[in-house]
Amino acid sequence: MPPREGGTPPPPGRGNDELRLYGWNAVQALFASRPQALRKLYLVEALIPRMQPVLKWCVANRVGYRVVEEGDLNKLAATTHHEGVVADVLRAPMLELGEWLQALPAGKPVLALWLDGVGNPHNFGAILRSAAHFGVAGLLLPPGATLALSGAAARVAEGGAEAVPLVRLPAVPQAMSQLREAGFGLAATLVDGGSDLFASEVPARLVYVMGAEGEGMDRELAQACDQQVSIPGTGAVESLNVASATAVLLSHWYARQSR
């Protein structure tokens, strides 16, 4: 074990291909699925016993790690919600739509999410967590989308970020055409005006198209989908937020496939 070092470690130069993760489950999921992506690890002394497998891997593979104070981690993560561990890692590569479609299992039910304007990192993290729980095969991001995995989103996802790949879509007409050729139906999710979700049949291969947190989905995009669905409720509130709505939508599809 290296000696404790005083002072805040300087942040390494991180480009677009690197990400600063924090939170126990986020770092553990990264280590379980892509240990070779780990570039530097920072942790508090109290976590050394629990982190032994990771630390031994770091030593064997010449990946640096440092035992630091809680306050140092607060600065590195820019939050107190780091749970005692911070890691600099390589981002998972984003897939192209054709590449993702080719890798899907033939003849099997597949669920995906098309995120049209979702931008809040905490909502994104919550969506990733629900997506991992219900077995979503990919998050599809439209052309020009600025959404990318952040440390905050990965922490909220509680490990789900490593389970669900991000997929880059081509132009909307081409993306829809490719998805339909692969047997997918597209369901626009509307705050109101769509068919009752719980009375709707959903195909085994389905893409739910989710709108932005504030303004909702682009109406032209919604009309271009094969069906439009809404989640019924009491009306006591205007709507669910996008992350909560996603969990309801995914559970509906999952339950239908589990019959």
Side-chain angles (χ1 to χ4, degrees), residues 176 180 185-203 206-210 217-232 249 252:
M176 286 188 162
R180 286 175 174 136
L186 290 94
T189 58
L190 306 179
V191 171
D192 55 49
S195 301
D196 182 334
L197 172 70
F198 303 123
S200 300
E201 290 298 325
V202 289
L206 176 65
V207 176
Y208 278 126
V209 185
M210 309 296 300
M217 185 185 304
D218 178 86
R219 287 290 166 173
E220 289 187 12
L221 177 59
Q223 290 304 312
C225 292
D226 304 307
Q227 60 186 125
Q228 297 77 34
V229 297
S230 298
I231 300 172
L249 292 157
H252 175 68

Side-chain angles (χ1 to χ4, degrees), residues 105-196:
K108 299 288 187 180
V110 180
L111 180 60
L113 287 172
W114 178 324
L115 302 184
D116 177 44
V118 176
N120 180 286
H122 291 89
N123 278 339
F124 186 36
I127 287 170
L128 280 165
R129 185 173 183 175
S130 294
H133 180 78
F134 289 111
V136 169
L139 297 189
L140 315 183
L141 304 181
T146 58
L147 187 63
L149 186 65
S150 65
R155 185 191 68 80
V156 173
E158 295 286 0
E162 288 298 320
V164 187
L166 302 183
V167 181
R168 182 186 292 107
L169 293 173
V172 170
Q174 182 184 348
M176 286 188 162
S177 176
Q178 285 184 250
L179 288 165
R180 286 175 174 136
E181 286 176 8
F184 282 92
L186 290 94
T189 58
L190 306 179
V191 171
D192 55 49
S195 301
D196 182 334

Side-chain angles (χ1 to χ4, degrees), residues 19-42:
L19 170 69
R20 176 156 287 168
L21 285 183
Y22 51 87
W24 173 262
N25 287 331
V27 173
Q28 287 295 318
L30 179 283
F31 179 69
S33 61
R34 298 187 298 124
Q36 72 283 358
L38 187 60
R39 287 294 176 265
K40 190 70 179 282
L41 185 71
Y42 308 94

Side-chain angles (χ1 to χ4, degrees), residues 77-114:
T79 178
T80 59
H81 301 298
H82 48 68
E83 299 168 353
V85 60
V86 174
D88 290 321
V89 305
L90 291 177
R91 291 182 181 275
M94 187 175 288
L95 304 177
E96 300 296 334
L97 179 59
E99 177 186 9
W100 176 75
L101 288 171
Q102 191 172 15
L104 293 177
K108 299 288 187 180
V110 180
L111 180 60
L113 287 172
W114 178 324

